[in-house]
Amino acid sequence: MNIAVYPGSFDPITNGHLDIIERASKTFDQVIVGILVNPDKKGLFSIEERERLIERVIKHIPNARVESFSGLLVNFMKERDIKVIIKGLRAVSDFEYEFQMALMNKKLNPNIETLFMMTDAKYSFLSSSSVKQVAMFGGSINGLVPDEIIEDVMYRMHNK
Ligand code: PNS
């Protein structure tokens, strides 16, 4: 089976992320959305909450599921026999960081390939941090995150 992992922080998942998951699920038998557990970084949502939010918005994609991992991505992949990492590229500015990570992962495990998908142009400006800023200062996040989670983000932003 051809399995890919789509790793990230997803704090919270955006429409840009969802677009990549939907497209990757058409190319791979299974897509695992891998949430990085980063003990040094307190997010807006806990890992369990992020998992639940993602589960809610990927319900319509039968071959996508969500898991969380800590430590090295390559170890998570090895345990599950996953060989492909999917990443979204929004702009040239993403490239340097992503290139560095792809090469490091390749160094750690030469059997792993990182495949990049171009983010849909309409989401090229979108990131979880910009969503948080807009929500924090009272702007509308309609169209930026999936409709099903708008209320959760707005509520959490104003009731931390
Ligand atoms: O959404 P993000 O924060 O850009 O995602 C970054 C992520 C989770 C893909 C990356 O930080 C990662 O894979 N972290 C796990 C640690 C690891 O494997 N590092 C080695 C590659 S530099």
Side-chain angles (χ1 to χ4, degrees):
M1 191 150 70
N2 222 345
I3 313 177
V5 62
Y6 178 49
S9 306
F10 305 107
D11 187 37
I13 185 165
T14 68
N15 277 339
H17 295 135
L18 184 57
D19 175 57
I20 298 282
I21 300 167
E22 283 170 348
R23 286 160 54 201
S25 71
K26 292 180 186 145
T27 306
F28 290 89
D29 297 322
Q30 196 166 63
V31 175
I32 299 180
V33 181
I35 310 174
L36 172 69
V37 180
N38 184 347
D40 302 330
K41 220 167 124 186
K42 200 184 161 327
L44 179 63
F45 291 100
S46 71
I47 299 300
E48 293 71 28
E49 287 170 331
R50 288 179 224 178
E51 255 182 68
R52 267 179 261 126
L53 293 177
I54 296 173
E55 271 165 8
R56 212 191 298 161
V57 303
I58 64 171
K59 262 208 303 257
H60 63 291
I61 314 171
N63 59 334
R65 64 188 169 85
V66 58
E67 280 191 49
S68 55
F69 72 99
S70 52
L72 289 178
L73 176 62
V74 292
N75 292 343
F76 171 81
M77 294 174 71
K78 193 161 193 180
E79 285 160 17
R80 287 157 186 77
D81 202 24
I82 306 172
K83 304 267 165 44
V84 177
I85 302 170
I86 297 283
K87 297 302 292 279
L89 270 188
R90 284 168 299 197
V92 182
S93 49
D94 278 344
F95 180 77
E96 205 167 332
Y97 175 62
E98 293 297 343
F99 186 56
Q100 200 180 3
M101 267 202 287
L103 291 182
M104 181 57 85
N105 285 323
K106 189 105 190 133
K107 170 96 180 81
L108 294 169
N109 183 346
N111 297 319
I112 281 178
E113 292 298 341
T114 302
L115 301 185
F116 292 99
M117 295 184 90
M118 300 312 297
T119 296
D120 190 305
K122 63 179 183 285
Y123 301 129
S124 59
F125 61 92
L126 192 50
S127 68
S128 298
S129 355
S130 65
V131 165
K132 284 184 274 198
Q133 270 198 17
V134 172
M136 174 146 64
F137 296 114
S140 164
I141 57 167
N142 281 22
L144 306 185
V145 301
D147 289 348
E148 304 96 301
I149 72 163
I150 290 177
E151 272 185 33
D152 301 75
V153 177
M154 294 310 284
Y155 182 83
R156 174 53 56 86
M157 211 67 218
H158 299 288
N159 302 273
K160 274 188 210 165

